Amino acid sequence: MSKKILFVMTGADHWTLADGTKHPTGFWAEEAVAPYEALKGAGHEITVATPGGVVPTVDRGSLAAEVNGGEESAKKIADTLASIEEIKNPIRLEDVRLEDWDAVFYPGGHGPMEDLAVDATSGRLLTRALESGKPLGVVCHAPAALLAAVGEDGGNSFKGRKIAAFTNVEETQAGLADRAKWLLETRLREAGLEVQVGEPWAPNVVVDGNLVTGQNPASSAPLAQELLKKLA
């Protein structure tokens, strides 16, 4: 039976570093493409939402051969991405009603560190999605959006939840940790979330109730399989 799935994606095309430099970014291609293919292939309907309804920007680095297992795989991801009409025609995140959707998924990339990490509309949606019991998937840097999810008591709505997210080790190995204003793993821990760290760059998916999270790009495909189980 077909279900309706909302992809909430960053509207940012840069990440502001500690020195004020605007590092070009956006969403990470594989983290949108792999779940899209899995969910769409299973017959589900997908809609993309972004802050303000802006067309999301792909991080050009995520299309490089060296991060996609070679030229052939990189071309396949780029071609698939170019064919996804939903990404070219997003709706406004501000207009989203959770009751219209059966599941919610947040792809990563450094973009969410810039906008979704401080987006109150997204934060409220995440809080309601968690409370609703509907499948909620979040991968790589997208757990930055969880930082904007604040409960009625002023604490983080995801406090105490077990999650996976892009780690400090991975950010260091990627070469941006020492230039960042803040590190995702550190900030999530400070908010009271229990970050379950796996091997750098290897798939690591954590399931905690209806919440399914992945550590890095390699976790996006296995995360999608967990979402499919919950949608069955």
Side-chain angles (χ1 to χ4, degrees):
M1 183 176 164
S2 179
K3 303 288 180 68
K4 297 177 68 175
I5 302 166
L6 183 72
F7 275 38
V8 179
M9 300 181 66
T10 178
D13 62 4
H14 68 275
W15 177 32
T16 306
L17 302 176
D19 64 358
T21 301
K22 291 185 176 182
H23 175 70
T25 186
F27 69 91
W28 197 261
E30 182 182 3
E31 295 168 23
V33 169
Y36 178 90
E37 287 189 306
L39 295 164
K40 194 82 168 180
H44 299 305
E45 180 183 335
I46 293 171
T47 299
V48 171
T50 62
V54 302
V55 176
T57 298
V58 65
D59 187 319
R60 304 306 300 180
S62 70
L63 299 175
E66 55 266 30
V67 298
N68 288 300
E71 291 286 353
E72 187 176 340
S73 179
K75 184 179 185 306
K76 182 176 180 293
I77 283 183
D79 288 348
T80 302
L81 183 62
S83 74
I84 299 177
E85 291 300 321
E86 294 91 340
I87 289 180
K88 302 172 190 174
N89 298 282
I91 64 173
R92 284 167 34 92
L93 179 59
E94 295 81 0
D95 297 333
V96 165
R97 300 188 316 155
L98 180 64
E99 52 266 37
D100 294 336
W101 311 99
D102 298 301
V104 179
F105 172 65
Y106 278 64
H110 279 111
M113 301 278 283
E114 183 74 19
D115 61 353
L116 297 179
V118 293
D119 190 301
T121 299
S122 170
R124 287 190 293 271
L125 176 67
L126 285 163
T127 297
R128 292 198 301 272
L130 182 68
E131 294 170 348
S132 74
K134 294 181 179 184
L136 172 61
V138 193
V139 70
C140 200
H141 283 93
L146 306 183
L147 298 170
V150 180
E152 292 181 4
D153 62 356
N156 192 282
S157 301
F158 291 80
K159 183 178 180 180
R161 290 283 182 158
K162 294 180 174 63
I163 69 160
F166 201 69
T167 65
N168 291 352
V169 169
E170 287 168 321
E171 201 72 83
T172 300
Q173 292 178 355
L176 286 168
D178 61 350
R179 300 174 62 196
K181 288 182 180 179
W182 49 274
L183 296 178
L184 180 58
E185 179 190 339
T186 299
R187 188 65 66 86
L188 289 167
R189 291 187 187 280
E190 290 171 352
L193 285 75
E194 297 185 20
V195 183
Q196 312 281 297
V197 174
E199 288 297 315
W201 312 108
N204 177 33
V205 175
V206 174
V207 180
D208 185 348
N210 62 315
L211 178 64
V212 183
T213 51
Q215 179 172 314
N216 45 36
S219 305
S220 56
L223 183 153
Q225 293 306 311
E226 292 295 333
L227 287 181
L228 283 172
K229 291 179 191 175
K230 291 186 175 296
L231 288 164

